[in-house]
Amino acid sequence: MATIINTKFLGPYLSADLPDEVEIESLTPQVTVTITINEVEVYSSPYYVYGLKAYVRDIRSIVEAAMLQKDLAIAKFLLTVKDYENFTYNTGNDIVIYSHLKSLGGSEQQLTKSFLSTRKSALLSRSCPFTLYNYAVPYKQEYHYCDIYYTIPSSREIITATYTFGNKQSDTPKIIPTDASYAKLQELLAQRNILDATIHRVYYYLDSREFNIYFTPDDPSDTFQFKGNFNLWETVCLFGATTSKTEIDRSEAICGNKVAYYDTSVKVKHEVETAPLTLSEAQFLTQLLSSQEITREVADGLFAPVIISDISSEVSDNNSNPIRLKFTWTYADQNEFLP
């Protein structure tokens, strides 16, 4: 065989875990390397062979840029090599899940042991939308259920209701969304004719994946949705203080005893200081602060794009000094909403 791809691909991969380089061994002087995402070519370039070998590097940035452009969280990845004699070789289709962060125990272990979020729990208001995502292993039978912890007016004791979901999630590798909002949980209870319950917590379990959601009757100071580590929408309820500041910039001209203003611009900024956070909460919120797509809830279920700036993020594991994050946000179109 004139050409061999020495680097082995064993998916599924988190994009951050893709090989740092691909080694190609060839007896021909030049090879052409092509990368496709979901069967669409996103990269192609000739590589000259030196010492019978050529190396393809920076695959991760190519794949992630293509997935961001196509707004993909999961995709099929294929690397193809064509040598000087027009013989073609490839790595075989592999599944790639977008991720900013590398795994410690390998991509497959991470994907089958954790939901697609860097946090293990969330504190939400009862009106907050929330979706929980997981990677579905094709044809695999998985024990999938949730425990809903609630009270009813006639009793102060916590009651648990367990709901079991289908064991086989998919025949193909895909990302499965689960509506885990308070409203959806109320629907599940209503199926058992439980109509006046107050839900306090829900525990989701999926074949060793675990996630806890705690519900608070308090209204958060802000609710944001943003594209997180896996290029999926994350929801966060922030509790703290927000200070709104209006900046007015204008020019003036004086004619006789009269003053005229022109080129007036008004910009409203909202400065947020969070309530004390745990270390894991603060680390998760850094994804919000660095995200390129952020929206803020302006009414129930209605979100508007915002831009975050003036970030002060100091995360410490010193338990005697509570962690607070500070940042400023403005609406992307600079227009405020009517109250």
Side-chain angles (χ1 to χ4, degrees):
M1 186 177 292
T3 300
I4 302 173
I5 303 174
N6 288 330
T7 304
K8 302 302 180 185
F9 283 76
L10 299 171
Y13 278 102
L14 295 175
S15 60
D17 286 339
L18 284 167
D20 294 328
E21 67 177 23
V22 174
E23 181 183 270
I24 301 167
E25 189 174 344
S26 181
L27 298 176
T28 61
Q30 178 182 314
V31 295
T32 299
V33 176
T34 302
I35 294 175
T36 61
I37 295 295
N38 286 352
E39 301 179 357
V40 176
E41 182 180 308
V42 297
Y43 175 82
S44 183
S45 178
Y47 284 78
Y48 294 96
V49 177
Y50 179 76
L52 300 182
K53 292 182 180 179
Y55 296 91
V56 183
R57 298 182 174 90
D58 206 22
I59 292 176
R60 173 186 176 182
S61 65
I62 296 170
V63 172
E64 289 183 350
M67 294 181 73
L68 283 176
Q69 183 182 22
K70 300 175 183 295
D71 196 24
L72 298 173
I74 184 171
K76 288 189 296 184
F77 163 83
L78 179 67
L79 185 144
T80 303
V81 177
K82 179 184 289 187
D83 64 21
Y84 218 58
E85 299 173 349
N86 283 329
F87 289 105
T88 301
Y89 314 85
N90 63 64
T91 57
N93 277 309
D94 276 291
I95 297 299
V96 175
I97 292 85
Y98 186 95
S99 175
H100 287 305
L101 305 175
K102 291 186 175 183
S103 62
L104 291 174
S107 294
E108 187 168 8
Q109 180 179 351
Q110 181 69 33
L111 290 167
T112 56
K113 299 299 182 184
S114 300
F115 287 98
L116 293 178
S117 177
T118 58
R119 55 180 172 171
K120 301 297 184 183
S121 63
L123 176 64
L124 304 174
S125 68
R126 294 172 182 170
S127 62
C128 183
F130 187 79
T131 302
L132 195 59
Y133 300 92
N134 73 277
Y135 171 72
V137 180
Y139 303 108
K140 186 176 181 180
Q141 299 291 318
E142 299 179 309
Y143 189 32
H144 185 195
Y145 71 90
C146 75
D147 289 331
I148 303 174
Y149 297 84
Y150 67 95
T151 56
I152 55 177
S154 60
S155 174
R156 293 185 178 181
E157 292 186 2
I158 299 291
I159 306 171
T160 306
T162 299
Y163 290 82
T164 302
F165 305 102
N167 289 337
K168 188 182 77 169
Q169 287 195 306
S170 175
D171 294 340
T172 58
K174 63 171 61 174
I175 292 175
I176 303 293
T178 300
D179 185 353
S181 64
Y182 191 89
K184 181 61 178 181
L185 297 172
Q186 283 184 315
E187 288 181 14
L188 293 179
L189 291 179
Q191 293 174 8
R192 298 186 179 180
N193 204 30
I194 304 171
L195 305 176
D196 53 356
T198 299
I199 302 171
H200 303 281
R201 178 169 78 92
V202 61
Y203 168 77
Y204 277 92
Y205 180 90
L206 173 58
D207 197 38
S208 78
R209 304 173 183 91
E210 297 178 315
F211 200 92
N212 283 284
I213 303 173
Y214 300 90
F215 293 101
T216 174
D218 299 330
D219 293 327
S221 55
D222 274 306
T223 299
F224 293 97
Q225 287 190 332
F226 63 96
K227 286 291 185 71
N229 176 65
F230 298 99
N231 201 30
L232 296 166
W233 286 103
E234 298 263 16
T235 305
V236 60
C237 293
L238 288 184
F239 298 87
T242 300
T243 302
S244 298
K245 295 184 177 181
T246 302
E247 297 179 357
I248 301 175
D249 185 19
R250 61 190 179 187
S251 302
E252 63 179 41
I254 301 176
C255 182
N257 293 326
K258 294 185 177 181
V259 179
Y261 297 102
Y262 62 97
D263 291 340
T264 301
S265 64
V266 180
K267 189 174 185 179
V268 180
K269 292 184 175 182
H270 306 273
E271 296 181 356
V272 176
E273 181 176 353
T274 67
L277 303 168
T278 64
L279 178 60
S280 61
E281 287 175 328
Q283 290 172 334
F284 170 74
L285 283 178
T286 58
Q287 296 179 50
L288 164 68
L289 302 179
S290 60
S291 177
Q292 300 298 309
E293 292 186 62
I294 309 169
T295 61
R296 176 181 179 269
E297 189 173 33
V298 295
D300 288 346
L302 177 62
F303 287 79
V306 299
I307 298 172
I308 288 181
S309 61
D310 302 331
I311 300 167
S312 176
S313 175
E314 295 184 7
V315 179
S316 171
D317 59 0
N318 183 358
N319 294 329
S320 63
N321 189 15
I323 303 170
R324 296 177 186 268
L325 300 184
K326 298 178 182 179
F327 62 91
T328 299
W329 65 267
T330 58
Y331 287 109
D333 60 3
Q334 301 298 321
N335 292 318
E336 296 290 308
F337 286 85
L338 290 170

